[in-house]
């Protein structure tokens, strides 16, 4: 049987074929694409063998049965064909052609998924000799890995290994890697907070490689939900599309493009609405409005508009306020709220703490969100949970059609609420359970952990949501016994005098 550790071992071996030649933020695409091709090839090989046995080798019936499978892959697109041609001088081009044919035969699910990757790239691989050597090693790394479904020890093994590798690339790539991957434990918490149900539409407007969407999807055992996402980066969009496919989410709709200036969640002439929205948008995105300004019409003097205004957005998402150009956090929040179902919509978004207290236009937006009774909870997370940044983050939970108007504050950032890791801190199962239980119980106060604030209290704080204003985590210092301190000082001074006298005696004996 093939275990997850077997797959991970091969993947790391494949990394060795690239290390020192290409940056990990780039070679991840080659390795994960090859894993994808190997999986498609092995599944097809096993299915074909089963049908050949079932239909006694009758090729016509086998072909018809294969045409009804999840995907189609022809002989010259298989991993085995590429492996047999591993010593070909044109192996890079042969791989590119194979990927193109896979896209062509599965255009409904995999259209353009390999468009941002080039196995014939001179920029990445160098001259022909170096390129062919690297690609030959890569094919040999994967050759003995058996990914036939009958040989896998769990149905999720491929998808899980895929996500494991994405996480490791995110860690290795630092800040850049963190842009496309949310730590699994944070994703689990976000999914628990929104509690997806059957027949929900689930949406992530900045979906990265799709981890958050998949966590939310898996909260519905029957899988009877519709999954939607959008991602700006073409390579990360491709990772997400493959990730969905490997987890069996064949009907996910993952769009590519700028969610703010070019949202793809359009239904008729309005923004599509979702019952569940989850997101970890890029923190405080600078120049988030550039897509609007570049498309703005020139005035009578031919001058382009230089400042973002609500009128530039045809979807009317910024009528409550336009976030500053240097910080796009609330731009994403407003997009998501405008995409949330009016009756049962709930949303959890990971954001930097600045959104809780920054003033000017952000303060005005925050006031609107509270007065419109949309904010349900504010949860402070421990520092150093995320790839590429050590700053603490928070989760804002929003709900439409709320029956109450209070806001729950939870401070889960203190010691004892997480596990300290070597490079990053980690939320344990018990930490997540505590947060979720506190959120669901909604008690008036849990000492040094949570507080249920009324709308009037928030108004009194001028709509500042900084958690220390609501959750008192102050620890009283132990009373100091002055007499005991004096005695300790006297004892230490006596010990020092004794040592100095002994040293003086030794010095005299040595004649110094």
């Amino acid at each position: 049987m093939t275990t997850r550790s077997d797959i991970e071992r091969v993947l790391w071996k494949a990394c060795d074929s690239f290390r020192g030649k290409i940056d990990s933020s780039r070679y991840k695409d080659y390795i994960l694409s090859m894993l994808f091709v190997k999986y498609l090839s092995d599944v097809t090989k096993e299915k074909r063998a089963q049908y050949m046995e079932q239909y006694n080798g009758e090729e016509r019936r086998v072909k018809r049965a294969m045409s009804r499978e999840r995907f189609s892959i022809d002989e010259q697109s298989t991993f085995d064909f590429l492996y047999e041609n591993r010593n070909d001088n044109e192996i890079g081009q042969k791989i590119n052609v194979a990927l193109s044919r896979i896209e062509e035969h599965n255009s409904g699910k995999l259209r353009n998924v390999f468009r941002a990757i080039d196995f014939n790239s001179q920029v990445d691989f160098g001259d022909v000799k170096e390129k062919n050597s690297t690609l030959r090693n890569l094919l040999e790394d994967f050759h003995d890995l058996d990914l036939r479904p009958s040989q896998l020890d769990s149905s999720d093994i491929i998808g899980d290994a895929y996500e494991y590798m994405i996480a490791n690339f995110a860690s290795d790539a630092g800040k850049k890697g963190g842009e496309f991957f949310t730590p699994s434990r944070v994703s689990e918490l976000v999914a628990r907070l929104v509690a997806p149900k059957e027949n929900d539409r689930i949406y992530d407007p900045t979906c990265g490689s799709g981890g958050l969407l998949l966590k939310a999807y898996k909260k519905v055992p029957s899988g009877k939900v519709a999954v939607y996402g959008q991602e700006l980066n073409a390579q990360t969009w491709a990772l997400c599309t493959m990730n969905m496919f490997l987890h069996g989410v064949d009907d996910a709709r993952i769009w590519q493009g700028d969610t703010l200036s070019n949202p793809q969640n359009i239904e008729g002439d309005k923004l599509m609405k979702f019952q569940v929205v989850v997101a970890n948008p890029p923190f405080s995105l600078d120049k988030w409005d550039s897509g609007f300004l570049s498309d703005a019409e020139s005035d009578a003097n031919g001058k382009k508009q230089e400042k973002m205004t609500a009128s530039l957005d045809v979807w009317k998402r910024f009528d409550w306020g336009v976030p500053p150009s240097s910080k796009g956090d609330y731009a994403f929040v407003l997009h998501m709220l405008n995409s949330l179902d009016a009756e049962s919509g709930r949303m959890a978004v990971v954001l930097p703490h600045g959104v809780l207290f920054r003033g000017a236009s952000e303060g005005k937006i925050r006031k609107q969100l509270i007065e419109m009774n949309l904010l349900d909870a504010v949860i402070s997370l421990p520092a150093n949970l995320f790839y590429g940044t050590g700053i603490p983050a928070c989760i804002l939970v929003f709900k439409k059609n709320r029956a109450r108007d209070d806001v729950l504050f939870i401070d889960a950032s203190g010691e004892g609420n997480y596990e300290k890791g070597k490079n990053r801190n980690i939320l344990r199962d018990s930490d997540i359970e505590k947060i979720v239980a506190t959120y669901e119980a909604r008690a008036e106060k849990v000492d040094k952990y949570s507080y249920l604030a009324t709308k009037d209290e928030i108004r009194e704080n001028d709509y500042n949501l900084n958690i220390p204003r609501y959750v008192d985590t102050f620890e009283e210092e132990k009373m100091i016994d002055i007499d005991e301190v004096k005695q300790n000082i006297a004892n230490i001074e006596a010990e020092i005098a004794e040592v100095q006298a002994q040293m003086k005696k030794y010095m005299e004996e040595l004649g110094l």
Side-chain angles (χ1 to χ4, degrees):
M1 296 293 287
T2 301
T3 65
R4 175 171 167 169
S5 62
D6 292 331
I7 299 175
E8 291 169 2
R9 187 164 51 250
V10 169
L11 292 172
W12 281 118
K13 186 179 177 183
C15 291
D16 291 335
S17 294
F18 286 93
R19 287 194 180 99
K21 303 173 185 177
I22 306 173
D23 185 80
S24 64
S25 63
R26 294 177 65 85
Y27 70 63
K28 74 178 188 301
D29 300 313
Y30 295 108
I31 293 174
L32 293 173
S33 294
M34 191 57 68
L35 172 65
F36 192 69
V37 172
K38 185 69 166 73
Y39 173 69
L40 298 186
S41 299
D42 284 3
V43 171
T44 299
K45 184 192 301 184
E46 181 165 86
K47 275 291 179 185
R48 180 173 174 77
Q50 290 171 352
Y51 286 131
M52 287 293 283
E53 182 178 352
Q54 181 179 345
Y55 298 122
N56 298 316
E58 196 173 325
E59 192 66 42
R60 182 176 58 83
R61 297 182 71 185
V62 171
K63 186 176 181 181
R64 184 188 305 149
M66 290 296 291
S67 69
R68 293 192 290 266
E69 289 297 315
R70 283 180 65 207
F71 56 87
S72 173
I73 181 170
D74 62 35
E75 181 60 33
Q76 291 188 327
S77 303
T78 63
F79 178 87
D80 288 346
F81 173 82
L82 297 174
Y83 179 77
E84 288 168 6
N85 287 273
R86 66 190 181 281
N87 294 311
D88 193 303
N89 281 334
E90 297 296 325
I91 184 59
Q93 183 58 24
K94 285 186 182 296
I95 297 175
N96 283 346
V97 170
L99 299 183
S100 179
R101 290 168 74 95
I102 291 173
E103 282 187 9
E104 182 183 339
H105 291 306
N106 304 277
S107 59
K109 299 173 182 176
L110 301 175
R111 183 189 299 275
N112 294 327
V113 77
F114 299 115
R115 66 181 173 179
I117 190 166
D118 179 9
F119 278 84
N120 212 28
S121 170
Q122 189 172 350
V123 173
D124 278 345
F125 294 104
D127 63 27
V128 173
K129 185 177 180 180
E130 290 178 350
K131 176 192 67 181
N132 290 348
S133 173
T134 300
L135 294 179
R136 182 176 63 252
N137 288 339
L138 179 63
L139 289 163
E140 289 174 349
D141 291 335
F142 277 95
H143 178 251
D144 294 329
L145 185 63
D146 191 346
L147 300 181
R148 290 175 298 164
S150 65
Q151 298 304 304
L152 302 178
D153 69 357
S154 106
S155 58
D156 285 337
I157 187 173
I158 302 294
D160 290 346
Y162 200 80
E163 285 199 68
Y164 170 81
M165 283 301 292
I166 292 175
N168 277 280
F169 281 123
S171 178
D172 194 35
K175 185 175 181 180
K176 185 173 182 181
E179 294 175 2
F180 64 81
F181 188 79
T182 303
S184 176
R185 308 309 295 150
V186 177
S187 297
E188 174 69 18
L189 172 58
V190 169
R192 292 275 302 273
L193 291 168
V194 292
K197 303 182 182 71
E198 278 195 0
N199 302 317
D200 278 348
R201 282 177 166 179
I202 302 173
Y203 173 57
D204 183 347
T206 57
C207 62
S209 54
L212 254 174
L213 280 174
L214 287 168
K215 286 290 186 187
Y217 169 82
K218 289 180 179 180
K219 294 304 168 197
V220 182
S222 68
K224 292 181 179 179
V225 291
V227 175
Y228 301 81
Q230 185 163 342
E231 170 57 35
L232 175 59
N233 183 284
Q235 289 176 311
T236 309
W237 169 87
L239 284 181
C240 182
T241 302
M242 287 187 273
N243 204 6
M244 292 292 154
F245 190 89
L246 289 172
H247 281 88
V249 192
D250 289 0
D251 56 355
R253 293 180 64 182
I254 309 297
W255 302 292
Q256 199 262 315
D258 185 340
T259 296
L260 297 177
S261 63
N262 185 28
Q264 300 293 301
N265 59 310
I266 308 301
E267 199 166 46
D269 59 351
K270 296 180 180 180
L271 290 176
M272 187 182 290
K273 304 297 183 183
F274 306 92
Q275 287 73 41
V276 170
V277 177
V278 292
N280 176 18
F283 287 2
S284 302
L285 182 64
D286 191 19
K287 299 177 183 175
W288 65 268
D289 54 1
S290 58
F292 295 95
L293 297 174
S294 62
D295 292 337
E297 295 182 2
S298 302
D299 61 19
N301 298 319
K303 187 177 180 181
K304 278 274 191 180
Q305 187 169 330
E306 296 180 355
K307 186 175 175 61
M308 177 66 187
T309 60
S311 62
L312 286 178
D313 179 39
V314 298
W315 307 108
K316 308 294 183 185
R317 291 169 292 178
F318 307 118
D319 289 353
W320 291 351
V322 177
S325 177
S326 61
K327 294 178 177 63
D329 304 306
Y330 275 110
F332 288 108
V333 169
L334 291 173
H335 168 76
M336 289 183 270
L337 286 172
N338 278 275
S339 302
L340 205 57
D341 178 74
E343 295 300 317
S344 60
R346 54 232 187 259
M347 152 187 157
V349 54
V350 182
L351 296 165
H353 272 253
V355 301
L356 303 177
F357 53 80
R358 290 192 300 243
S361 61
E362 291 185 294
K364 294 176 183 177
I365 294 169
R366 197 163 54 243
K367 176 181 177 180
Q368 287 283 356
L369 300 181
I370 293 161
E371 290 299 339
M372 293 297 291
N373 199 31
L374 294 169
L375 183 62
D376 194 53
V378 178
I379 302 168
S380 178
L381 299 176
N384 201 29
L385 286 180
F386 297 86
Y387 299 99
T389 178
I391 66 170
C394 61
I395 297 175
L396 299 190
V397 183
F398 295 90
K399 282 187 177 180
K400 290 282 186 81
N401 198 25
R402 289 211 310 151
R404 54 197 305 160
D405 65 356
D406 48 25
V407 177
L408 179 66
F409 290 83
I410 298 175
D411 187 351
S413 65
E415 286 195 22
N417 294 317
Y418 62 93
E419 178 183 320
K420 289 186 177 181
K422 183 177 180 181
N423 298 314
R424 290 184 305 108
N425 294 326
I426 300 165
L427 287 176
R428 299 161 297 194
D429 288 343
S430 58
D431 303 323
I432 293 173
E433 287 294 338
K434 184 178 180 181
I435 293 170
V436 173
T438 304
Y439 173 69
E440 291 176 346
R442 216 172 179 84
E444 287 188 9
K445 182 180 179 181
V446 176
D447 193 40
K448 296 181 177 16
Y449 190 75
S450 71
Y451 182 78
L452 193 62
T454 65
K455 189 180 289 187
D456 284 339
E457 286 178 283
I458 296 173
R459 288 187 186 118
E460 288 172 10
N461 279 315
D462 199 23
Y463 303 96
N464 187 317
L465 303 176
N466 206 14
I467 290 180
R469 288 177 177 250
Y470 304 93
V471 182
D472 181 9
T473 58
F474 178 74
E475 295 281 353
E476 288 190 12
E477 293 186 13
K478 185 179 178 181
M479 294 291 290
I480 298 173
D481 186 333
I482 297 298
D483 291 335
E484 183 181 348
V485 171
K486 284 181 178 179
Q487 186 59 53
N488 287 338
I489 292 172
N491 291 341
I492 292 170
E493 287 176 340
E495 288 178 13
I496 292 172
E498 184 179 341
V499 170
Q500 286 176 335
Q502 191 69 39
M503 286 292 293
K504 182 178 180 183
K505 181 180 176 183
Y506 292 152
M507 296 289 278
E508 289 174 350
E509 288 177 358
L510 293 169
L512 296 176

